[in-house]
Amino acid sequence: MPPLSGRIKRTIGTTIAIAGLLSVGFLAGNLHSATSAQSPDPDVVGIISEVYNLMQSQGINPVDPNVALEGALTGMLDTLDDPFSGYMTPEDFAMANEEFEGEIQGIGVVIRTLEDTGEVQVVSVLDGSPAKSAGVHNGDIFHAINGELASEMSQDELANRVRGPEGTDVNITFSRDGELIDMVITRARITIPNIESQVVGDNIGYVRLNQFSARAREELDAALAELDINSRNGLIFDLRDNPGGLLSSAVSVGSAFVEEGPIVTEWFGENDQTVFESDGTYAGITVPIVVLVNEGSASASELISAAMQDTGAATIIGERTFGKGTVQTWHELSNGGGLRLTVARWISPSGRWIHERGVVPDTLVMWNPTGVEGERDPQLDYAIGVIEGQTPGVSAQ
């Protein structure tokens, strides 16, 4: 496998946020940041400087240098018309990095922005979180935060308003089935559980991965060992609502399931591609594998699903995934903020680019969870049935 850059954080993901809002989907190559970049065209720098100096010297309104800087950076990046590139304020950048560390202060929901309406929606609610205790449901739409309309905020702005020190309250109005619901939620410090495992059905191992963090492969290996997975009748690998994470982590996790050959290709242009192959750490799983996905499975989750589907390593069950097929680099800037910049496409082993298309499961099983305690999970039930031979799908290998 080619070496990953040592200076840039490379992410595959979307922008859902744990506010504790967790954002749908990062994909990064490693955990290092970059503080330098090529100097832009001197004319561009000169014109920006000229405008700023005129604002200061002749404008009648006071100029806050930090506000002016952030406005200029945001405006420049907006011209790319790319929802996955953008400027992050120092607060945003710190918040995003905190997510990678697996701990947040907030209410504990995963969110995303709906493309057709621009509304910010709850994708999932973390177990044991303040949001769960308050009765927040999957699918709820943010209407207002502390009296301010959510429609007037970007997703990052909304996440920043929802987050806050543990023990403090935030007033949120949600829209649910056309009804407005007011809640006062006390923020907490939340440790994001990255992996969950148990035995389900007739001796079937179940592993859920919540994010492709730096320790995801280590945690996966531990879960498989604890389950003694090859003594089971099958494995269900749950990537539903997993927003993505680090590129290096995705390749490492993929290598557990794909014995040899490519996991993913980074495509920078026709004559500029980098292939990441299985790294030789195949887990030797001999039982049938089913991967669960839904529309909240983004970026690195889609990369793994596509690789396992292309190589025949697993059967994919659930709903069409989010559809993010690009790679971003993260650069830390000298003001403490960050630059998130799309630099490449990622391509599956069979040559698919799933951007705005998603990964289509081998078997579509739709489910719109309501958050009601004890509600049946038809996607998990179907996966169990596939491994037990009660529904069409995979057979033992």
Side-chain angles (χ1 to χ4, degrees):
M1 184 177 74
L4 296 170
S5 164
R7 302 182 62 223
I8 299 173
K9 177 185 288 184
R10 229 174 181 73
T11 64
I12 290 183
T14 58
T15 304
I16 289 185
I18 284 181
L21 295 137
L22 194 60
S23 295
V24 165
F26 304 103
L27 180 42
N30 54 42
L31 286 172
H32 300 290
S33 302
T35 57
S36 63
Q38 276 191 326
S39 296
D41 187 320
D43 289 338
V44 174
V45 174
I47 292 169
I48 292 174
S49 179
E50 182 181 1
V51 170
Y52 176 70
N53 288 333
L54 286 169
M55 289 169 61
Q56 275 198 319
S57 63
Q58 297 186 27
I60 63 170
N61 295 317
V63 178
D64 183 319
N66 290 323
V67 173
L69 171 65
E70 292 179 357
L73 295 173
T74 299
M76 275 196 297
L77 286 156
D78 282 349
T79 65
L80 296 176
D81 195 25
D82 173 16
F84 304 114
S85 294
Y87 169 70
M88 294 177 279
T89 66
E91 294 76 18
D92 292 339
F93 191 65
M95 180 177 73
N97 277 291
E98 186 181 46
E99 289 179 7
F100 280 115
E101 298 301 319
E103 189 173 85
I104 54 172
Q105 293 185 67
I107 66 170
V109 297
V110 178
I111 64 171
R112 66 169 179 176
T113 299
L114 298 176
E115 187 174 345
D116 52 346
T117 65
E119 296 172 312
V120 178
Q121 180 189 54
V122 175
V123 174
S124 63
V125 184
L126 299 183
D127 287 338
S129 67
K132 189 80 167 182
S133 299
V136 178
H137 289 183
N138 297 350
D140 285 353
I141 301 291
F142 283 88
H143 177 76
I145 297 92
N146 291 328
E148 297 182 65
L149 289 177
S151 59
E152 297 177 359
M153 306 174 194
S154 68
Q155 180 173 289
D156 286 343
E157 289 170 337
L158 184 147
N160 278 331
R161 283 169 171 75
V162 173
R163 285 196 183 203
E166 60 180 319
T168 60
D169 291 340
V170 58
N171 298 290
I172 303 177
T173 302
F174 290 103
S175 174
R176 181 188 302 162
D177 299 326
E179 180 184 356
L180 295 182
I181 302 171
D182 295 319
M183 298 184 184
V184 178
I185 304 177
T186 302
R187 302 177 178 101
R189 184 175 297 275
I190 301 165
T191 299
I192 305 165
N194 200 40
I195 204 151
E196 306 163 36
S197 62
Q198 59 180 305
V199 177
V200 298
D202 182 15
N203 196 37
I204 297 168
Y206 169 91
V207 176
R208 179 183 181 93
L209 183 66
N210 292 316
Q211 191 174 11
F212 286 84
S213 65
R215 297 184 59 225
R217 177 58 195 272
E218 176 187 341
E219 294 168 332
L220 172 64
D221 287 344
L224 294 175
E226 185 176 353
L227 286 168
D228 189 13
I229 195 60
N230 285 334
S231 71
R232 305 296 174 185
N233 293 330
L235 168 65
I236 297 172
F237 188 38
D238 194 346
L239 294 177
R240 291 177 296 179
D241 299 323
N242 182 318
L246 302 170
L247 174 57
S248 54
S249 175
V251 173
S252 182
V253 169
S255 297
F257 301 105
V258 178
E259 185 170 6
E260 58 183 5
I263 301 289
V264 67
T265 297
E266 273 191 300
W267 187 92
F268 302 93
E270 286 297 338
N271 300 311
D272 189 2
Q273 302 177 32
T274 301
V275 179
F276 295 95
E277 297 198 349
S278 182
D279 63 14
T281 59
Y282 179 56
I285 300 170
T286 58
V287 297
I289 302 172
V290 169
V291 176
L292 290 177
V293 296
N294 63 8
E295 60 182 5
S297 305
S299 202
S301 297
E302 296 174 288
L303 183 158
I304 296 301
S305 302
M308 294 176 75
Q309 190 176 53
D310 286 357
T311 59
T315 294
I316 313 300
I317 289 174
E319 303 164 52
R320 184 189 297 265
T321 61
F322 185 87
K324 181 181 180 294
T326 56
V327 181
Q328 284 69 43
T329 54
W330 284 22
H331 302 256
E332 183 175 7
L333 303 177
S334 57
N335 70 337
L339 169 65
R340 188 175 61 239
L341 187 65
T342 297
V343 296
R345 298 177 180 180
W346 67 260
I347 308 297
S348 79
S350 69
R352 287 187 289 167
W353 189 42
I354 59 85
H355 199 62
E356 298 181 349
R357 297 181 179 89
V359 174
V360 179
D362 299 303
T363 302
L364 284 168
V365 180
M366 309 303 291
W367 182 35
N368 182 23
T370 64
V372 175
E373 194 72 30
E375 180 183 15
R376 297 292 302 177
D377 181 340
Q379 294 166 341
L380 177 60
D381 289 345
Y382 194 95
I384 292 171
V386 164
I387 293 175
E388 292 178 350
Q390 299 170 13
T391 51
V394 300
S395 58
Q397 301 170 11

